[in-house]
Amino acid sequence: MKRMKTFLAAFLSLALAMPTTFSGVVAAEEAKTYKPGVTVEANQTGKSDAAYQATFVYESDEDIEKVTVAGNFQWHLESERDQYKPNNSNDDMQQFRAEDYKAGMYNSSGLHGQEAYELEETSEGHYQVTIPVPGNLYFYDYTVTYADGSKVTMKDPANMPKANPANGHDSGHSLVYVGNGANCTKGQEWIYPRTDGKTGTVQYVTYTAFDGSTQPLGIYLPYGYDSSKTYKTIYMSHGGGGNEMEWSQLGAAKNIFDNLINDGQVKPTVVVMINESGIAGGFQTDKVV
């Protein structure tokens, strides 16, 4: 009996020192913990044809009920492109979530609204979710629902978008680049930043609009810009609710022009990005003074 008790004590000690087991199978290792912000890696989810995965992490010591992340994580079939209708009236088009992405689909931000994913609280105050994503530029926001039922939608505190230093305007969403020009969804080859130094600059200036207000402009100057030369100039306006930051950030205009110019597809060009939202009656190029 004494030997039996000694054996049982030794067995229990060993069992307590080992991971919990069921039917002789060791319990799976806990999920990897990531830092706040976004971490991009090779796709290990086993879902979709996406080459990458993005792990979104939000941390807070507040009393939170739920955290979700939403952005342009939805996809449509290439064969349905001709069915696109303006103003989000695209209910007849099939929409696929990130985990259902198949090679050849195209990103369709906003056709049916943004896709939302709930983050799991893996430890106290630490929330994360991993989404399979092909190469592309993604915008996203968090929506935090608090224990009292209130909620707020915000940009990622650990990955804030670039802002105009003069007025604080930004693109309105956090952004993350996934992949590169050689491994991305069709049509997105030009959106990635160059790494060879042959890049233009974006400056922010102000001017007096026709209504007397002072308004900002974002101005792209191509690589090798020479003020003594004459350049073709393109004026670009943003979408509803946007500002002078939208094209250079959400639209990746700086990167696109850098790549097209260096590839010889476009001649060196100056691009002026306006802020139409701050002008009474809208932007009128013939009345700029």
Side-chain angles (χ1 to χ4, degrees), residues 30-247:
E30 291 186 4
K32 181 179 177 181
T33 298
Y34 294 80
K35 295 180 180 179
V38 189
T39 301
V40 177
E41 303 170 294
N43 186 5
Q44 303 164 38
T45 66
K47 300 177 181 179
S48 91
D49 288 345
Y52 306 95
Q53 65 182 36
T55 299
F56 297 84
V57 172
Y58 177 80
E59 289 188 341
S60 174
D61 58 2
E62 298 177 284
D63 194 359
I64 292 174
E65 179 180 322
K66 183 172 69 173
V67 180
T68 60
V69 61
N72 57 322
F73 308 123
Q74 61 273 0
W75 303 87
H76 284 72
L77 298 171
E78 175 71 23
S79 59
E80 293 188 344
R81 290 182 72 102
D82 293 340
Q83 299 180 37
Y84 172 78
K85 301 173 185 176
N87 302 319
N88 294 335
S89 56
N90 295 278
D91 293 336
D92 53 341
M93 298 177 67
Q94 298 182 72
Q95 177 170 281
F96 297 85
R97 287 171 63 86
E99 57 267 31
D100 299 317
Y101 168 80
K102 298 295 182 184
M105 290 183 178
Y106 71 98
N107 189 253
S108 49
S109 57
L111 290 192
H112 296 274
Q114 298 177 25
E115 287 290 340
Y117 294 81
E118 184 171 349
L119 281 67
E120 178 186 359
E121 187 176 13
T122 58
S123 60
E124 187 173 358
H126 180 98
Y127 303 82
Q128 71 179 50
V129 66
T130 298
I131 304 172
V133 284
N136 206 69
L137 170 59
Y138 296 91
F139 65 85
Y140 69 98
D141 303 282
Y142 290 127
T143 296
V144 179
T145 302
Y146 297 98
D148 63 3
S150 63
K151 64 173 60 178
V152 61
T153 297
M154 66 178 74
K155 290 162 278 193
D156 184 350
N159 181 31
M160 294 294 287
K162 182 178 180 179
N164 182 340
N167 57 21
H169 288 177
D170 60 36
S171 61
H173 308 276
S174 291
L175 305 172
V176 58
Y177 281 89
V178 174
N180 53 57
N183 193 353
C184 62
T185 48
K186 183 179 178 181
Q188 302 302 305
E189 298 82 3
W190 307 103
I191 68 171
Y192 296 91
R194 295 185 68 85
T195 59
D196 60 0
K198 296 181 178 180
T199 60
T201 61
V202 176
Q203 303 175 4
Y204 296 98
V205 300
T206 59
Y207 73 100
T208 302
F210 70 90
D211 64 353
S213 62
T214 299
Q215 297 297 330
L217 293 173
I219 300 178
Y220 167 82
L221 301 177
Y223 172 71
Y225 174 78
D226 184 344
S227 60
S228 66
K229 296 181 179 180
T230 299
Y231 294 83
K232 290 186 176 181
T233 303
I234 296 177
Y235 291 84
M236 301 174 70
S237 179
H238 50 77
N243 54 45
E244 75 279 6
M245 301 297 293
E246 188 167 285
W247 268 112

Side-chain angles (χ1 to χ4, degrees), residues 4-17:
M4 179 61 71
K5 289 181 178 179
T6 302
F7 171 78
L8 288 174
F11 176 80
L12 289 172
S13 297
L14 180 61
L16 290 172

